[in-house]
Amino acid sequence: MKQKKQFSNEKFINKEEVDKFNSFADSWWDPNGKMKSLHWINPTRVSHIKKQTCKHLKIKDSEKPLEGLKVLDIGCGAGVLSESMALLGADVVGIDVTENMILVAKKHATKSKLKIDYRIQDINDLVAKGEKFDVVLCMEVVEHIDNLEEFLPTCNKAVKDGGLLFISTINRTVKSYASAIIAEE
């Protein structure tokens, strides 16, 4: 499926990556599928995000410690991390430029009875509208975008004063590339 949405500024969008992810969006939630490593690491990264957010914002850990916080998931894919944040009580916005991913994310959130604001949107458009978040997540995204030198400061513009920006990517080694990019994707 071709990308239908046109973005006002596509300087970070790698169209080959968009096409690749559009091609396997339907299998994103299969814990034994192409994205099984994402499902495997998700509990660890959710735990880290929760712990650091509670510590930084001086929030008591509870069943829903992120209640009342606005969280942005940049490059949310089909919503694995977004749903985890919503389950912790956060008001979540998930953005992705990959239309099929957003469609799958919306469908899964509805099935899971979670309210998540999923958008086919890039970070430039979101920042241009002036939206700010308590927590911004950019997890396993930077290896798929163009113009990293401008992308990361743009992500930072979405963070409220005193908020947090989490960034994670695979190691830039031949072994990591072979196992995470070639084998998994």
Side-chain angles (χ1 to χ4, degrees):
M1 175 186 277
K2 289 289 181 192
Q3 184 74 17
K4 293 178 185 172
K5 171 82 172 165
Q6 292 299 311
F7 298 98
S8 61
N9 186 341
E10 296 186 358
K11 64 183 171 182
F12 305 137
I13 300 171
N14 181 315
K15 292 189 186 323
E16 291 169 0
E17 291 290 292
V18 170
D19 289 343
K20 176 178 70 175
F21 282 98
N22 264 326
S23 74
F24 62 83
D26 289 334
S27 66
W28 197 266
W29 279 95
D30 179 356
N32 297 309
K34 286 187 174 201
M35 299 309 292
K36 67 182 170 188
S37 62
L38 179 66
H39 292 274
W40 181 74
I41 67 168
N42 196 55
T44 301
R45 64 187 186 164
V46 168
S47 176
H48 176 74
I49 292 164
K50 181 178 92 166
K51 179 180 177 184
Q52 294 305 314
T53 300
C54 288
K55 180 179 176 183
H56 181 78
L57 298 176
K58 297 176 176 51
I59 298 169
K60 184 176 180 178
D61 195 355
S62 64
E63 185 179 325
K64 294 195 181 265
L66 305 186
E67 199 159 39
L69 296 181
K70 286 184 65 177
V71 174
L72 172 64
D73 187 3
I74 300 170
C76 65
V80 172
L81 183 57
S82 293
E83 286 199 12
S84 296
M85 295 295 104
L87 288 169
L88 292 175
D91 177 16
V92 180
V93 172
I95 63 170
D96 204 298
V97 299
T98 311
E99 184 177 12
N100 288 353
M101 289 294 185
I102 293 297
L103 295 173
V104 171
K106 286 179 176 182
K107 183 178 179 180
H108 197 275
T110 298
K111 180 179 169 187
S112 300
K113 296 181 179 160
L114 293 170
K115 183 182 173 211
I116 299 172
D117 182 3
Y118 285 117
R119 307 173 188 171
I120 303 168
Q121 186 175 35
D122 75 351
I123 188 64
N124 282 312
D125 289 338
L126 185 134
V127 166
K129 292 176 182 172
E131 289 188 71
K132 299 278 188 173
F133 298 83
D134 300 294
V135 178
V136 174
L137 308 172
C138 185
M139 312 299 271
E140 290 71 50
V141 172
V142 298
E143 64 270 22
H144 303 290
I145 59 102
D146 291 336
N147 200 349
L148 188 60
E149 297 78 18
E150 289 184 46
F151 177 76
L152 294 176
T154 302
C155 295
N156 194 49
K157 289 177 184 177
V159 182
K160 287 181 181 177
D161 287 342
L164 293 164
L165 171 62
F166 290 90
I167 300 170
S168 174
T169 188
I170 61 167
N171 288 331
R172 300 259 177 175
T173 64
V174 172
K175 181 179 178 184
S176 293
Y177 180 79
S179 65
I181 302 296
I182 295 172
E184 291 296 327
E185 294 176 7

